Amino acid sequence: MSGDYQSLHIIHHPDPRLRKVSRPVTEFDDQLAALAAKMLELMHSDNGVGLAAPQVGVLKRLIVFNPTGQPDDDQILVNPAIHDMHGSIEAEEGCLSLPGVNATIRRAQRCRVTAQDLRGRPIELELQDLPARICQHETDHLNGVLILDRMGPADRIATRATVRALEQSYRSRSRPQRPSVERT
């Protein structure tokens, strides 16, 4: 994909790009910074707290997040890896790629995240509660994992109609249009 990221938008389930494993970032350049800026813009405009590059159709290991909504709290993590997960807590999660789907998901309460910044410099964060949850959720996206894969049976039943509607909408958009034939 070229560096023109202005046309990017959040893609929805069942777009197959959401199920692919993302490639590590090896080039830390203006294009990467532009992609991160566009992702932050999309995340904020949809009132999200996190967004992974696959959610905009770019299969790179890049996530952005902001647990508070305050502009100074925007975080950009390149090639994130989660370590030292501790504790366990259930909480409700949603996903910008699954609008209308919320589920109770069990995640580690605390974790350490290693990553790089937009210049390739190492970052290490100790996270807990919501920031830890967001990083785990977004890192799942980098590995092709959705909350659909982590939800329990009750949430699967409760969200079945919404998920089917997303799938039907995707099929109708991706189906090739037949040219209309005039009959006389």
Side-chain angles (χ1 to χ4, degrees), residues 2-17:
S2 73
D4 179 21
Y5 295 120
Q6 289 311 304
S7 63
L8 288 181
H9 61 279
I10 296 172
I11 62 175
H12 295 152
H13 170 78
D15 189 303
R17 293 171 288 182

Side-chain angles (χ1 to χ4, degrees), residues 6-181:
Q6 289 311 304
S7 63
L8 288 181
H9 61 279
I10 296 172
I11 62 175
H12 295 152
H13 170 78
D15 189 303
R17 293 171 288 182
L18 293 170
R19 292 302 192 166
K20 296 195 183 294
V21 176
S22 297
R23 296 177 306 275
V25 172
T26 57
E27 293 185 35
F28 297 83
D29 55 15
D30 291 344
Q31 286 189 357
L32 183 65
L35 173 59
K38 181 62 176 179
M39 289 171 58
L40 283 166
E41 176 188 316
L42 291 168
M43 177 190 76
H44 288 299
S45 69
D46 274 17
N47 297 313
V49 293
L51 189 66
Q55 292 180 273
V56 296
V58 178
L59 298 177
K60 292 184 178 184
R61 297 189 78 77
L62 170 67
I63 67 172
V64 300
F65 71 101
N66 184 323
T68 68
Q70 299 300 313
D72 289 345
D73 291 337
D74 285 348
Q75 295 276 339
I76 300 168
L77 300 179
V78 183
N79 299 323
I82 296 178
H83 313 274
D84 305 328
M85 298 193 305
H86 297 285
S88 178
I89 190 165
E90 285 188 343
E92 186 172 306
E93 286 184 26
C95 180
L96 295 175
S97 291
L98 288 154
V101 174
N102 293 307
T104 301
I105 307 293
R106 179 172 295 280
R107 301 254 186 213
Q109 186 171 11
R110 295 186 324 270
C111 63
R112 182 172 57 89
V113 178
T114 57
Q116 292 165 285
D117 68 11
L118 288 173
R119 293 184 181 170
R121 297 176 299 206
I123 298 172
E124 185 169 327
L125 302 171
E126 297 286 338
L127 302 175
Q128 66 180 29
D129 301 323
L130 182 59
R133 177 172 294 280
I134 295 167
C135 276
Q136 291 171 73
H137 177 110
E138 301 310 333
T139 301
D140 272 356
H141 277 297
L142 302 180
N143 297 317
V145 176
L146 301 176
I147 60 172
L148 297 175
D149 305 317
R150 297 200 178 275
M151 63 175 56
D155 283 327
R156 285 185 204 284
I157 292 167
T159 61
R160 185 180 308 159
T162 305
V163 172
R164 277 194 198 137
L166 285 168
E167 291 166 349
Q168 180 59 39
S169 174
Y170 180 82
R171 279 193 298 274
S172 66
R173 280 191 320 272
S174 59
R175 188 174 297 136
Q177 298 296 318
R178 291 188 205 166
S180 61
V181 176

